[in-house]
Amino acid sequence: MSGIWLLKKIVKNDAMKTDPKEIYGWRVFLLACSACFGAASFGWDSGVIGGVIKLDTFITDYKLGDTATVASANLQANIVSVLQAGCFVGALAAYPLADLWGRKWCLIYASMFTLAGVILQAAASGHLEPIYIGRFVAGLGVGASSVVNPIYVSENAPRAIRGLLTGMYQLFIVTGSLIAFWTNFGAELHLHGATKYIVPLSVQGLPALFLFSLMLICNESPRYLARKDQWEEAKNVLRRLRQLPDDHPYLQEEFREIADQLEQERRLMGDATFWSLQKEMWTVKTNRHRAILSIVLMVFQQLTGTNAINVYAPTIFNNLGIMGTSNSLLGTGVYGIVKVVSCSIFLLFMADSLGRRRSLLISAIGQSFCMFYIGIYVRVAPPQTGQPVPVAGYFALAFIFVFAAFFQFGWGPACWILVSEIPTARLRPLNVALAAATQWLFNFVVSRTLPVMLATLGYKGYGTYFIYGSFGVIMLIFVYFFIPETKGVSLEHMGELFGEEPVETKTVSEDSKPAATEISETHGSQRV
């Protein structure tokens, strides 16, 4: 009961005021956490690899050469970015597989790919080929999870806290990064020889193991089951999730809205095939608008440079004056703490209260300011080797942390929330797949180019920060003119924000859809 009271204090929207308190039970939170271990796999990998490639033992065993040269920067970039290449392929593959296998089993299979890739990386024994193959295979699993995870969570979540639960994807990314950062730091201090990098590379498989184990006891999405005409199972799952009796008005209304929207879509566009869905997405104006917004959001999310900074944080801290591998890894660990705390603040106090749109606006302003300041500092008064860091340098270091906080206040979690909630039900897998694939493509581009940018765009790469700051200004303009507010709006009514006619619950005859007012009691397999 105290948990419901706290939710009502934190989340401020109309749905929270009117919806029954029983729907905020432990099941939906466990489901969200279980699915989000797929996100933790990406965060953990990004945090681990950025520190591992800076370890002297790894550099020696894998013959990376002088890390100050462009050739070595290219080699490090190849090691890092091959994961993103696998993620891009996995994200595209997840679109048909999420409909073929279901959300639940797609996440389970994705975790198996991630585990296989981690094993290959840990067993590489000084050979780059297994590292490349392992990171690509792991990327297939991580990329597929990035598509299915937001879909699965948004389709199970109550509307009032959908932003909170879907945004947990980003929270698990930064939590995985945080644990990885401190794993690297501990390995640097307490391990010796090859175990310095073998242990961090091995333990990054833990999130995938948790994802595999927990998803086995979770239910399938009720909206997916309804799309597959498994109406009785969909009713039972929805009843268990909402913890309401069969005849409760809220339960009847939610199920009726699911049935009405699916019937309306089928009546308008017929049965779904790959080409019919493509036609529906790109020829229907409101659908095309939503698809383009999703793609552009993910492009801009990566052009902030945040994921590249996550990976290359030790290098960036060295460039800003923190010398020594241990010190830079310590700074990276603190950076991870800042990200987790700020993302938690966003999910608790901003996602479903302040809203997605205003969070993105505030986030863009803060990120731009931080990047411009860091760029000016490195250009005007760059740190010198062997010299103490000046006051302006400490401000620059602080702004790296502030930048991370502003990203988590908006562009980190809010993009995943928006791309999973704005599409129609049957276009949701395709829309999220396109958005996720775009995210991984530009993640690959940014991660691949950042080491070279830092080595070539002026002394200590000061031009890099000006570029990322300029993108922040463009993002601000884009959000102001094109992104609507979606907090508290049910998935079935999301189209009205983009000019669609309201979903009419009386337009479908009672004979053409399952009755939403008679939810029968069936005894299927027990699930959480």
Side-chain angles (χ1 to χ4, degrees), residues 114-191:
T114 304
L115 282 170
V118 168
I119 292 171
L120 282 171
Q121 293 176 64
S125 301
H127 300 283
L128 280 175
E129 293 81 1
I131 288 284
Y132 287 139
I133 296 172
R135 289 184 61 74
F136 184 83
V137 171
L140 295 175
V142 172
S145 297
S146 71
V147 173
V148 183
N149 183 335
I151 298 173
Y152 179 77
V153 176
S154 67
E155 290 183 346
N156 280 284
R159 60 186 178 182
I161 57 170
R162 191 176 60 246
L164 169 64
L165 296 182
T166 308
M168 286 174 64
Y169 180 85
Q170 183 68 22
L171 178 62
F172 271 66
I173 289 178
V174 296
T175 302
S177 297
L178 170 66
I179 298 172
F181 290 152
W182 288 104
T183 301
N184 286 343
F185 183 63
E188 168 69 13
L189 291 181
H190 302 295
L191 299 180

Side-chain angles (χ1 to χ4, degrees), residues 94-103 224 228:
Y95 154 61
L97 296 179
D99 273 343
L100 179 64
W101 295 338
R103 287 42 162 154
Y224 170 79
K228 295 300 180 179

Side-chain angles (χ1 to χ4, degrees), residues 119-403:
I119 292 171
L120 282 171
Q121 293 176 64
S125 301
H127 300 283
L128 280 175
E129 293 81 1
I131 288 284
Y132 287 139
I133 296 172
R135 289 184 61 74
F136 184 83
V137 171
L140 295 175
V142 172
S145 297
S146 71
V147 173
V148 183
N149 183 335
I151 298 173
Y152 179 77
V153 176
S154 67
E155 290 183 346
N156 280 284
R159 60 186 178 182
I161 57 170
R162 191 176 60 246
L164 169 64
L165 296 182
T166 308
M168 286 174 64
Y169 180 85
Q170 183 68 22
L171 178 62
F172 271 66
I173 289 178
V174 296
T175 302
S177 297
L178 170 66
I179 298 172
F181 290 152
W182 288 104
T183 301
N184 286 343
F185 183 63
E188 168 69 13
L189 291 181
H190 302 295
L191 299 180
H192 305 282
T195 56
K196 278 191 175 184
Y197 60 82
I198 291 176
V199 170
L201 289 176
S202 300
V203 297
Q204 67 176 320
L206 287 176
L209 184 61
F210 288 138
L211 177 65
F212 176 84
S213 303
L214 290 171
M215 287 308 301
L216 287 174
I217 63 172
C218 290
N219 59 255
E220 183 55 89
S221 158
R223 287 171 170 83
Y224 170 79
L225 293 170
R227 288 190 62 229
K228 295 300 180 179
D229 291 324
Q230 299 178 33
W231 294 102
E232 289 303 318
E233 181 67 10
K235 294 172 186 177
N236 293 332
V237 168
L238 197 62
R239 183 179 60 244
R240 287 197 299 269
L241 284 175
R242 300 298 179 253
Q243 301 182 87
L244 294 172
D246 296 350
D247 58 351
H248 195 285
Y250 178 90
L251 190 66
Q252 303 301 330
E253 179 187 2
E254 184 174 9
F255 190 76
R256 189 185 305 110
E257 286 180 350
I258 294 172
D260 287 341
Q261 188 194 38
L262 288 175
E263 185 63 28
Q264 187 177 53
E265 290 175 2
R266 288 170 176 172
R267 190 172 64 252
L268 291 173
M269 299 302 298
D271 292 331
T273 64
F274 175 79
W275 292 112
S276 68
L277 290 176
Q278 291 289 337
K279 179 180 178 182
E280 184 176 347
M281 173 170 280
W282 300 110
T283 61
V284 178
K285 182 180 179 180
T286 58
N287 293 337
R288 182 172 64 248
H289 184 191
R290 286 181 269 188
I292 293 173
L293 286 183
S294 298
I295 290 171
V296 175
L297 278 170
M298 286 306 189
V299 170
F300 281 140
Q301 186 197 56
Q302 295 308 303
L303 292 181
T304 62
T306 184
N307 280 326
I309 292 174
N310 292 344
V311 173
Y312 297 106
T315 301
I316 291 171
F317 282 119
N318 278 332
N319 286 351
L320 294 178
I322 295 183
M323 301 303 171
T325 302
S326 295
N327 289 334
S328 64
L329 290 177
L330 177 60
T332 305
V334 177
Y335 177 77
I337 293 174
V338 171
K339 291 194 300 178
V340 170
V341 172
S342 53
C343 186
S344 301
I345 292 172
F346 170 81
L347 294 178
L348 290 174
F349 301 105
M350 299 171 72
D352 288 308
S353 299
L354 182 63
R356 288 60 147 160
R357 174 183 160 84
R358 277 186 282 185
S359 298
L360 289 172
L361 291 170
I362 294 170
S363 180
I365 294 171
Q367 289 175 100
S368 293
F369 179 81
C370 292
M371 287 293 102
F372 283 133
Y373 178 87
I374 295 169
I376 292 171
Y377 161 69
V378 177
R379 174 65 181 87
V380 175
Q384 301 296 327
T385 303
Q387 298 295 320
V389 179
V391 174
Y394 284 114
F395 274 104
L397 291 168
F399 276 128
I400 287 288
F401 299 126
V402 176
F403 168 85

Side-chain angles (χ1 to χ4, degrees), residues 2-84:
S2 59
I4 303 299
W5 176 86
L6 183 60
L7 267 181
K8 289 183 177 291
K9 289 293 183 181
I10 292 173
V11 179
K12 305 292 185 182
N13 58 44
D14 293 338
M16 178 58 74
K17 296 176 184 176
T18 59
D19 293 348
K21 63 180 184 299
E22 290 85 357
I23 66 175
Y24 308 116
W26 59 271
R27 283 184 173 87
V28 292
F29 289 96
L30 179 59
L31 286 173
C33 291
S34 300
C36 285
F37 275 109
S41 293
F42 170 61
W44 202 309
D45 179 276
S46 299
V48 161
I49 200 64
V52 162
I53 60 176
K54 300 299 292 182
L55 295 173
D56 292 337
T57 52
F58 186 85
I59 292 170
T60 301
D61 290 352
Y62 287 87
K63 302 175 178 61
L64 300 187
D66 184 358
T67 56
T69 64
V70 174
S72 179
N74 276 317
L75 191 55
Q76 292 180 42
N78 290 337
I79 293 172
V80 170
S81 59
V82 71
L83 177 97
Q84 282 80 3

